[in-house]
mmCIF file of all heavy atoms in Angstrom:
data_model
loop_
_atom_site.group_PDB
_atom_site.id
_atom_site.type_symbol
_atom_site.label_atom_id
_atom_site.label_comp_id
_atom_site.label_asym_id
_atom_site.label_seq_id
_atom_site.Cartn_x
_atom_site.Cartn_y
_atom_site.Cartn_z
ATOM 1 N N ALA A 68 -27.975 -11.197 1.839
ATOM 2 C CA ALA A 68 -29.419 -11.310 1.606
ATOM 3 C C ALA A 68 -30.005 -12.452 2.424
ATOM 4 O O ALA A 68 -31.067 -12.313 3.060
ATOM 5 C CB ALA A 68 -29.696 -11.516 0.120
ATOM 6 N N LEU A 69 -29.311 -13.583 2.450
ATOM 7 C CA LEU A 69 -29.778 -14.715 3.252
ATOM 8 C C LEU A 69 -29.672 -14.416 4.741
ATOM 9 O O LEU A 69 -30.538 -14.807 5.535
ATOM 10 C CB LEU A 69 -28.968 -15.961 2.912
ATOM 11 C CG LEU A 69 -29.293 -16.615 1.567
ATOM 12 C CD1 LEU A 69 -28.289 -17.707 1.263
ATOM 13 C CD2 LEU A 69 -30.707 -17.177 1.563
ATOM 14 N N GLN A 70 -28.616 -13.714 5.128
ATOM 15 C CA GLN A 70 -28.460 -13.340 6.528
ATOM 16 C C GLN A 70 -29.591 -12.410 6.969
ATOM 17 O O GLN A 70 -30.105 -12.519 8.086
ATOM 18 C CB GLN A 70 -27.117 -12.660 6.743
ATOM 19 C CG GLN A 70 -26.856 -12.254 8.195
ATOM 20 C CD GLN A 70 -25.545 -11.510 8.351
ATOM 21 O OE1 GLN A 70 -24.672 -11.599 7.488
ATOM 22 N NE2 GLN A 70 -25.405 -10.764 9.421
ATOM 23 N N ALA A 71 -29.977 -11.493 6.080
ATOM 24 C CA ALA A 71 -31.075 -10.585 6.405
ATOM 25 C C ALA A 71 -32.360 -11.362 6.657
ATOM 26 O O ALA A 71 -33.124 -11.046 7.579
ATOM 27 C CB ALA A 71 -31.272 -9.578 5.273
ATOM 28 N N ALA A 72 -32.598 -12.384 5.836
ATOM 29 C CA ALA A 72 -33.788 -13.208 6.030
ATOM 30 C C ALA A 72 -33.703 -13.998 7.335
ATOM 31 O O ALA A 72 -34.655 -14.033 8.128
ATOM 32 C CB ALA A 72 -33.972 -14.149 4.852
ATOM 33 N N ALA A 73 -32.552 -14.606 7.582
ATOM 34 C CA ALA A 73 -32.394 -15.463 8.760
ATOM 35 C C ALA A 73 -32.444 -14.666 10.058
ATOM 36 O O ALA A 73 -32.970 -15.148 11.073
ATOM 37 C CB ALA A 73 -31.087 -16.232 8.666
ATOM 38 N N SER A 74 -31.912 -13.449 10.040
ATOM 39 C CA SER A 74 -31.815 -12.649 11.258
ATOM 40 C C SER A 74 -32.952 -11.642 11.405
ATOM 41 O O SER A 74 -32.983 -10.904 12.397
ATOM 42 C CB SER A 74 -30.470 -11.898 11.285
ATOM 43 O OG SER A 74 -29.394 -12.803 11.207
ATOM 44 N N GLY A 75 -33.854 -11.594 10.432
ATOM 45 C CA GLY A 75 -34.961 -10.659 10.518
ATOM 46 C C GLY A 75 -34.535 -9.212 10.408
ATOM 47 O O GLY A 75 -35.064 -8.344 11.121
ATOM 48 N N LEU A 76 -33.589 -8.933 9.514
ATOM 49 C CA LEU A 76 -33.099 -7.570 9.349
ATOM 50 C C LEU A 76 -34.030 -6.819 8.400
ATOM 51 O O LEU A 76 -33.847 -6.830 7.188
ATOM 52 C CB LEU A 76 -31.672 -7.576 8.787
ATOM 53 C CG LEU A 76 -30.622 -8.356 9.580
ATOM 54 C CD1 LEU A 76 -29.269 -8.288 8.878
ATOM 55 C CD2 LEU A 76 -30.508 -7.812 10.998
ATOM 56 N N GLY A 77 -35.038 -6.178 8.947
ATOM 57 C CA GLY A 77 -35.979 -5.440 8.122
ATOM 58 C C GLY A 77 -35.477 -4.063 7.778
ATOM 59 O O GLY A 77 -34.446 -3.598 8.267
ATOM 60 N N GLY A 78 -36.195 -3.380 6.896
ATOM 61 C CA GLY A 78 -35.864 -2.014 6.540
ATOM 62 C C GLY A 78 -34.877 -1.924 5.389
ATOM 63 O O GLY A 78 -34.766 -2.824 4.559
ATOM 64 N N ILE A 79 -34.132 -0.825 5.345
ATOM 65 C CA ILE A 79 -33.263 -0.491 4.220
ATOM 66 C C ILE A 79 -31.801 -0.635 4.623
ATOM 67 O O ILE A 79 -31.407 -0.234 5.719
ATOM 68 C CB ILE A 79 -33.539 0.939 3.744
ATOM 69 C CG1 ILE A 79 -34.982 1.041 3.220
ATOM 70 C CG2 ILE A 79 -32.560 1.383 2.664
ATOM 71 C CD1 ILE A 79 -35.453 2.446 3.026
ATOM 72 N N TRP A 80 -30.993 -1.165 3.690
ATOM 73 C CA TRP A 80 -29.581 -1.420 3.971
ATOM 74 C C TRP A 80 -28.731 -1.067 2.757
ATOM 75 O O TRP A 80 -29.011 -1.541 1.646
ATOM 76 C CB TRP A 80 -29.366 -2.912 4.307
ATOM 77 C CG TRP A 80 -30.189 -3.354 5.477
ATOM 78 C CD1 TRP A 80 -31.522 -3.680 5.484
ATOM 79 C CD2 TRP A 80 -29.738 -3.498 6.827
ATOM 80 N NE1 TRP A 80 -31.921 -4.026 6.749
ATOM 81 C CE2 TRP A 80 -30.858 -3.917 7.599
ATOM 82 C CE3 TRP A 80 -28.511 -3.323 7.463
ATOM 83 C CZ2 TRP A 80 -30.771 -4.157 8.966
ATOM 84 C CZ3 TRP A 80 -28.419 -3.569 8.829
ATOM 85 C CH2 TRP A 80 -29.535 -3.979 9.563
ATOM 86 N N ASN A 81 -27.718 -0.243 2.962
ATOM 87 C CA ASN A 81 -26.717 -0.039 1.922
ATOM 88 C C ASN A 81 -25.816 -1.264 1.882
ATOM 89 O O ASN A 81 -25.187 -1.611 2.895
ATOM 90 C CB ASN A 81 -25.861 1.196 2.215
ATOM 91 C CG ASN A 81 -26.587 2.504 1.956
ATOM 92 O OD1 ASN A 81 -27.646 2.530 1.326
ATOM 93 N ND2 ASN A 81 -26.023 3.588 2.439
ATOM 94 N N VAL A 82 -25.751 -1.921 0.729
ATOM 95 C CA VAL A 82 -24.956 -3.144 0.609
ATOM 96 C C VAL A 82 -23.977 -2.972 -0.545
ATOM 97 O O VAL A 82 -24.314 -3.167 -1.714
ATOM 98 C CB VAL A 82 -25.856 -4.379 0.390
ATOM 99 C CG1 VAL A 82 -25.013 -5.648 0.279
ATOM 100 C CG2 VAL A 82 -26.861 -4.511 1.535
ATOM 101 N N THR A 83 -22.788 -2.551 -0.212
ATOM 102 C CA THR A 83 -21.713 -2.410 -1.178
ATOM 103 C C THR A 83 -20.396 -2.540 -0.424
ATOM 104 O O THR A 83 -20.392 -2.875 0.760
ATOM 105 C CB THR A 83 -21.829 -1.070 -1.937
ATOM 106 O OG1 THR A 83 -20.853 -1.035 -2.988
ATOM 107 C CG2 THR A 83 -21.654 0.139 -1.028
ATOM 108 N N GLY A 84 -19.274 -2.304 -1.112
ATOM 109 C CA GLY A 84 -17.992 -2.500 -0.473
ATOM 110 C C GLY A 84 -17.455 -1.249 0.182
ATOM 111 O O GLY A 84 -18.066 -0.185 0.142
ATOM 112 N N ARG A 85 -16.299 -1.400 0.818
ATOM 113 C CA ARG A 85 -15.601 -0.237 1.360
ATOM 114 C C ARG A 85 -14.881 0.490 0.231
ATOM 115 O O ARG A 85 -14.445 -0.122 -0.743
ATOM 116 C CB ARG A 85 -14.592 -0.665 2.419
ATOM 117 C CG ARG A 85 -15.216 -1.413 3.595
ATOM 118 C CD ARG A 85 -14.166 -1.679 4.674
ATOM 119 N NE ARG A 85 -14.699 -2.569 5.710
ATOM 120 C CZ ARG A 85 -14.535 -3.877 5.714
ATOM 121 N NH1 ARG A 85 -13.847 -4.448 4.741
ATOM 122 N NH2 ARG A 85 -15.047 -4.623 6.676
ATOM 123 N N GLY A 86 -14.740 1.790 0.369
ATOM 124 C CA GLY A 86 -14.062 2.558 -0.658
ATOM 125 C C GLY A 86 -12.571 2.248 -0.693
ATOM 126 O O GLY A 86 -11.878 2.351 0.322
ATOM 127 N N VAL A 87 -12.082 1.853 -1.848
ATOM 128 C CA VAL A 87 -10.660 1.568 -2.056
ATOM 129 C C VAL A 87 -10.161 2.513 -3.146
ATOM 130 O O VAL A 87 -10.790 2.625 -4.199
ATOM 131 C CB VAL A 87 -10.448 0.106 -2.494
ATOM 132 C CG1 VAL A 87 -8.968 -0.179 -2.755
ATOM 133 C CG2 VAL A 87 -11.000 -0.851 -1.445
ATOM 134 N N PRO A 88 -9.052 3.215 -2.945
ATOM 135 C CA PRO A 88 -8.558 4.140 -3.971
ATOM 136 C C PRO A 88 -8.347 3.444 -5.317
ATOM 137 O O PRO A 88 -7.917 2.288 -5.373
ATOM 138 C CB PRO A 88 -7.229 4.633 -3.394
ATOM 139 C CG PRO A 88 -7.383 4.477 -1.914
ATOM 140 C CD PRO A 88 -8.223 3.239 -1.726
ATOM 141 N N ARG A 89 -8.661 4.168 -6.383
ATOM 142 C CA ARG A 89 -8.501 3.603 -7.727
ATOM 143 C C ARG A 89 -7.096 3.058 -7.944
ATOM 144 O O ARG A 89 -6.910 1.993 -8.549
ATOM 145 C CB ARG A 89 -8.786 4.672 -8.783
ATOM 146 C CG ARG A 89 -10.254 5.035 -8.933
ATOM 147 C CD ARG A 89 -10.425 6.203 -9.890
ATOM 148 N NE ARG A 89 -11.828 6.593 -10.000
ATOM 149 C CZ ARG A 89 -12.237 7.738 -10.540
ATOM 150 N NH1 ARG A 89 -11.342 8.604 -11.000
ATOM 151 N NH2 ARG A 89 -13.519 8.023 -10.616
ATOM 152 N N ARG A 90 -6.102 3.774 -7.461
ATOM 153 C CA ARG A 90 -4.723 3.336 -7.632
ATOM 154 C C ARG A 90 -4.531 1.918 -7.077
ATOM 155 O O ARG A 90 -3.869 1.080 -7.693
ATOM 156 C CB ARG A 90 -3.782 4.308 -6.913
ATOM 157 C CG ARG A 90 -2.307 4.031 -7.154
ATOM 158 C CD ARG A 90 -1.428 4.787 -6.154
ATOM 159 N NE ARG A 90 -1.716 6.202 -6.118
ATOM 160 C CZ ARG A 90 -1.202 7.099 -6.954
ATOM 161 N NH1 ARG A 90 -0.387 6.698 -7.915
ATOM 162 N NH2 ARG A 90 -1.500 8.381 -6.826
ATOM 163 N N GLU A 91 -5.113 1.660 -5.899
ATOM 164 C CA GLU A 91 -4.964 0.346 -5.283
ATOM 165 C C GLU A 91 -5.753 -0.723 -6.029
ATOM 166 O O GLU A 91 -5.308 -1.872 -6.140
ATOM 167 C CB GLU A 91 -5.399 0.414 -3.820
ATOM 168 C CG GLU A 91 -4.503 1.275 -2.951
ATOM 169 C CD GLU A 91 -4.930 1.266 -1.493
ATOM 170 O OE1 GLU A 91 -5.622 0.305 -1.088
ATOM 171 O OE2 GLU A 91 -4.569 2.206 -0.763
ATOM 172 N N VAL A 92 -6.950 -0.362 -6.531
ATOM 173 C CA VAL A 92 -7.768 -1.334 -7.263
ATOM 174 C C VAL A 92 -7.050 -1.774 -8.531
ATOM 175 O O VAL A 92 -6.897 -2.978 -8.805
ATOM 176 C CB VAL A 92 -9.149 -0.740 -7.596
ATOM 177 C CG1 VAL A 92 -9.919 -1.683 -8.519
ATOM 178 C CG2 VAL A 92 -9.951 -0.496 -6.324
ATOM 179 N N PHE A 93 -6.582 -0.802 -9.334
ATOM 180 C CA PHE A 93 -5.888 -1.156 -10.567
ATOM 181 C C PHE A 93 -4.576 -1.885 -10.263
ATOM 182 O O PHE A 93 -4.199 -2.825 -10.979
ATOM 183 C CB PHE A 93 -5.636 0.097 -11.404
ATOM 184 C CG PHE A 93 -6.891 0.754 -11.908
ATOM 185 C CD1 PHE A 93 -7.067 2.122 -11.817
ATOM 186 C CD2 PHE A 93 -7.903 0.001 -12.479
ATOM 187 C CE1 PHE A 93 -8.227 2.730 -12.274
ATOM 188 C CE2 PHE A 93 -9.067 0.592 -12.947
ATOM 189 C CZ PHE A 93 -9.229 1.970 -12.839
ATOM 190 N N GLY A 94 -3.899 -1.476 -9.212
ATOM 191 C CA GLY A 94 -2.671 -2.150 -8.826
ATOM 192 C C GLY A 94 -2.906 -3.590 -8.418
ATOM 193 O O GLY A 94 -2.101 -4.473 -8.730
ATOM 194 N N GLU A 95 -4.020 -3.849 -7.722
ATOM 195 C CA GLU A 95 -4.320 -5.222 -7.311
ATOM 196 C C GLU A 95 -4.672 -6.092 -8.510
ATOM 197 O O GLU A 95 -4.302 -7.273 -8.562
ATOM 198 C CB GLU A 95 -5.468 -5.214 -6.292
ATOM 199 C CG GLU A 95 -5.809 -6.565 -5.701
ATOM 200 C CD GLU A 95 -4.726 -7.155 -4.804
ATOM 201 O OE1 GLU A 95 -3.648 -6.540 -4.657
ATOM 202 O OE2 GLU A 95 -4.962 -8.242 -4.251
ATOM 203 N N ILE A 96 -5.373 -5.523 -9.493
ATOM 204 C CA ILE A 96 -5.654 -6.291 -10.708
ATOM 205 C C ILE A 96 -4.349 -6.676 -11.390
ATOM 206 O O ILE A 96 -4.164 -7.823 -11.811
ATOM 207 C CB ILE A 96 -6.549 -5.477 -11.669
ATOM 208 C CG1 ILE A 96 -7.927 -5.221 -11.049
ATOM 209 C CG2 ILE A 96 -6.713 -6.226 -12.996
ATOM 210 C CD1 ILE A 96 -8.813 -4.295 -11.864
ATOM 211 N N ALA A 97 -3.428 -5.717 -11.496
ATOM 212 C CA ALA A 97 -2.134 -5.997 -12.131
ATOM 213 C C ALA A 97 -1.356 -7.055 -11.360
ATOM 214 O O ALA A 97 -0.730 -7.945 -11.954
ATOM 215 C CB ALA A 97 -1.326 -4.709 -12.241
ATOM 216 N N ARG A 98 -1.405 -6.989 -10.036
ATOM 217 C CA ARG A 98 -0.689 -7.971 -9.219
ATOM 218 C C ARG A 98 -1.228 -9.370 -9.466
ATOM 219 O O ARG A 98 -0.468 -10.326 -9.671
ATOM 220 C CB ARG A 98 -0.804 -7.613 -7.742
ATOM 221 C CG ARG A 98 -0.003 -8.538 -6.830
ATOM 222 C CD ARG A 98 -0.404 -8.378 -5.379
ATOM 223 N NE ARG A 98 -1.755 -8.848 -5.095
ATOM 224 C CZ ARG A 98 -2.080 -10.134 -4.951
ATOM 225 N NH1 ARG A 98 -1.148 -11.089 -5.080
ATOM 226 N NH2 ARG A 98 -3.324 -10.477 -4.677
ATOM 227 N N VAL A 99 -2.561 -9.500 -9.449
ATOM 228 C CA VAL A 99 -3.175 -10.814 -9.637
ATOM 229 C C VAL A 99 -2.921 -11.334 -11.052
ATOM 230 O O VAL A 99 -2.646 -12.523 -11.256
ATOM 231 C CB VAL A 99 -4.696 -10.744 -9.337
ATOM 232 C CG1 VAL A 99 -5.372 -12.063 -9.686
ATOM 233 C CG2 VAL A 99 -4.934 -10.402 -7.866
ATOM 234 N N ALA A 100 -2.986 -10.431 -12.031
ATOM 235 C CA ALA A 100 -2.786 -10.832 -13.423
ATOM 236 C C ALA A 100 -1.323 -11.063 -13.760
ATOM 237 O O ALA A 100 -1.008 -11.683 -14.783
ATOM 238 C CB ALA A 100 -3.373 -9.778 -14.359
ATOM 239 N N GLY A 101 -0.410 -10.550 -12.925
ATOM 240 C CA GLY A 101 1.010 -10.697 -13.191
ATOM 241 C C GLY A 101 1.500 -9.772 -14.287
ATOM 242 O O GLY A 101 2.433 -10.124 -15.027
ATOM 243 N N THR A 102 0.902 -8.593 -14.407
ATOM 244 C CA THR A 102 1.304 -7.627 -15.429
ATOM 245 C C THR A 102 1.879 -6.372 -14.766
ATOM 246 O O THR A 102 1.663 -6.128 -13.579
ATOM 247 C CB THR A 102 0.116 -7.240 -16.322
ATOM 248 O OG1 THR A 102 -0.914 -6.658 -15.511
ATOM 249 C CG2 THR A 102 -0.455 -8.461 -17.032
ATOM 250 N N THR A 103 2.580 -5.572 -15.565
ATOM 251 C CA THR A 103 3.170 -4.326 -15.051
ATOM 252 C C THR A 103 2.869 -3.188 -16.025
ATOM 253 O O THR A 103 3.762 -2.734 -16.756
ATOM 254 C CB THR A 103 4.693 -4.476 -14.866
ATOM 255 O OG1 THR A 103 5.272 -4.932 -16.103
ATOM 256 C CG2 THR A 103 5.003 -5.457 -13.748
ATOM 257 N N PRO A 104 1.623 -2.711 -16.052
ATOM 258 C CA PRO A 104 1.246 -1.680 -17.017
ATOM 259 C C PRO A 104 1.884 -0.330 -16.686
ATOM 260 O O PRO A 104 2.293 -0.054 -15.554
ATOM 261 C CB PRO A 104 -0.281 -1.599 -16.875
ATOM 262 C CG PRO A 104 -0.685 -2.824 -16.127
ATOM 263 C CD PRO A 104 0.475 -3.171 -15.260
ATOM 264 N N ASP A 105 1.900 0.518 -17.710
ATOM 265 C CA ASP A 105 2.258 1.920 -17.554
ATOM 266 C C ASP A 105 0.942 2.687 -17.482
ATOM 267 O O ASP A 105 0.239 2.822 -18.484
ATOM 268 C CB ASP A 105 3.087 2.371 -18.756
ATOM 269 C CG ASP A 105 3.398 3.863 -18.713
ATOM 270 O OD1 ASP A 105 3.314 4.456 -17.615
ATOM 271 O OD2 ASP A 105 3.676 4.432 -19.783
ATOM 272 N N TRP A 106 0.588 3.159 -16.287
ATOM 273 C CA TRP A 106 -0.711 3.820 -16.115
ATOM 274 C C TRP A 106 -0.688 5.217 -16.731
ATOM 275 O O TRP A 106 0.252 5.969 -16.525
ATOM 276 C CB TRP A 106 -1.068 3.935 -14.632
ATOM 277 C CG TRP A 106 -1.006 2.666 -13.844
ATOM 278 C CD1 TRP A 106 -0.172 2.389 -12.804
ATOM 279 C CD2 TRP A 106 -1.799 1.489 -14.035
ATOM 280 N NE1 TRP A 106 -0.394 1.125 -12.325
ATOM 281 C CE2 TRP A 106 -1.389 0.544 -13.058
ATOM 282 C CE3 TRP A 106 -2.804 1.140 -14.931
ATOM 283 C CZ2 TRP A 106 -1.950 -0.723 -12.954
ATOM 284 C CZ3 TRP A 106 -3.382 -0.124 -14.830
ATOM 285 C CH2 TRP A 106 -2.946 -1.028 -13.848
ATOM 286 N N ARG A 107 -1.736 5.544 -17.465
ATOM 287 C CA ARG A 107 -1.925 6.897 -17.981
ATOM 288 C C ARG A 107 -3.210 7.442 -17.354
ATOM 289 O O ARG A 107 -4.308 7.065 -17.767
ATOM 290 C CB ARG A 107 -2.042 6.877 -19.507
ATOM 291 C CG ARG A 107 -2.235 8.263 -20.132
ATOM 292 C CD ARG A 107 -0.959 9.055 -20.162
ATOM 293 N NE ARG A 107 0.077 8.377 -20.947
ATOM 294 C CZ ARG A 107 0.164 8.445 -22.291
ATOM 295 N NH1 ARG A 107 -0.694 9.151 -22.977
ATOM 296 N NH2 ARG A 107 1.133 7.809 -22.912
ATOM 297 N N TRP A 108 -3.055 8.311 -16.362
ATOM 298 C CA TRP A 108 -4.208 8.856 -15.650
ATOM 299 C C TRP A 108 -4.825 9.985 -16.479
ATOM 300 O O TRP A 108 -4.172 10.976 -16.776
ATOM 301 C CB TRP A 108 -3.793 9.366 -14.278
ATOM 302 C CG TRP A 108 -3.309 8.256 -13.396
ATOM 303 C CD1 TRP A 108 -2.023 7.867 -13.200
ATOM 304 C CD2 TRP A 108 -4.115 7.355 -12.634
ATOM 305 N NE1 TRP A 108 -1.961 6.782 -12.355
ATOM 306 C CE2 TRP A 108 -3.235 6.446 -11.985
ATOM 307 C CE3 TRP A 108 -5.494 7.226 -12.425
ATOM 308 C CZ2 TRP A 108 -3.687 5.426 -11.153
ATOM 309 C CZ3 TRP A 108 -5.944 6.215 -11.594
ATOM 310 C CH2 TRP A 108 -5.053 5.328 -10.966
ATOM 311 N N VAL A 109 -6.085 9.797 -16.875
ATOM 312 C CA VAL A 109 -6.734 10.751 -17.770
ATOM 313 C C VAL A 109 -7.868 11.466 -17.039
ATOM 314 O O VAL A 109 -8.565 10.887 -16.198
ATOM 315 C CB VAL A 109 -7.262 10.061 -19.038
ATOM 316 C CG1 VAL A 109 -6.110 9.499 -19.858
ATOM 317 C CG2 VAL A 109 -8.250 8.947 -18.697
ATOM 318 N N THR A 110 -8.044 12.720 -17.367
ATOM 319 C CA THR A 110 -9.064 13.550 -16.710
ATOM 320 C C THR A 110 -10.392 13.457 -17.447
ATOM 321 O O THR A 110 -10.470 12.970 -18.583
ATOM 322 C CB THR A 110 -8.614 15.008 -16.684
ATOM 323 O OG1 THR A 110 -8.543 15.492 -18.035
ATOM 324 C CG2 THR A 110 -7.252 15.158 -16.010
ATOM 325 N N ALA A 111 -11.424 13.991 -16.804
ATOM 326 C CA ALA A 111 -12.743 14.034 -17.431
ATOM 327 C C ALA A 111 -12.715 14.850 -18.711
ATOM 328 O O ALA A 111 -13.367 14.496 -19.708
ATOM 329 C CB ALA A 111 -13.761 14.613 -16.447
ATOM 330 N N ALA A 112 -11.952 15.943 -18.711
ATOM 331 C CA ALA A 112 -11.859 16.781 -19.904
ATOM 332 C C ALA A 112 -11.200 16.025 -21.057
ATOM 333 O O ALA A 112 -11.618 16.143 -22.217
ATOM 334 C CB ALA A 112 -11.077 18.050 -19.591
ATOM 335 N N GLN A 113 -10.177 15.237 -20.746
ATOM 336 C CA GLN A 113 -9.519 14.461 -21.786
ATOM 337 C C GLN A 113 -10.440 13.376 -22.340
ATOM 338 O O GLN A 113 -10.454 13.118 -23.549
ATOM 339 C CB GLN A 113 -8.236 13.838 -21.231
ATOM 340 C CG GLN A 113 -7.138 14.856 -20.964
ATOM 341 C CD GLN A 113 -5.960 14.259 -20.203
ATOM 342 O OE1 GLN A 113 -6.151 13.477 -19.265
ATOM 343 N NE2 GLN A 113 -4.752 14.619 -20.592
#
């Protein structure tokens, strides 16, 4: 946001992260937390 102001970046900008697979996101949380969960992947129907 500050860079946009400083550089005169007008208009519309998508500002979010790169897509990371859910498996990697949950795995990284476990790595940082030092835990080893048993993942149960559940569907929308479940």
Side-chain angles (χ1 to χ4, degrees):
L69 286 172
Q70 181 183 341
S74 302
L76 304 179
I79 297 167
W80 302 79
N81 285 346
V82 181
T83 187
R85 301 186 189 95
V87 178
R89 287 174 182 166
R90 186 194 307 276
E91 294 183 22
V92 172
F93 295 134
E95 185 67 357
I96 295 173
R98 184 194 68 78
V99 173
T102 60
T103 54
D105 175 20
W106 307 116
R107 180 76 60 82
W108 295 95
V109 295
T110 65
Q113 290 171 319

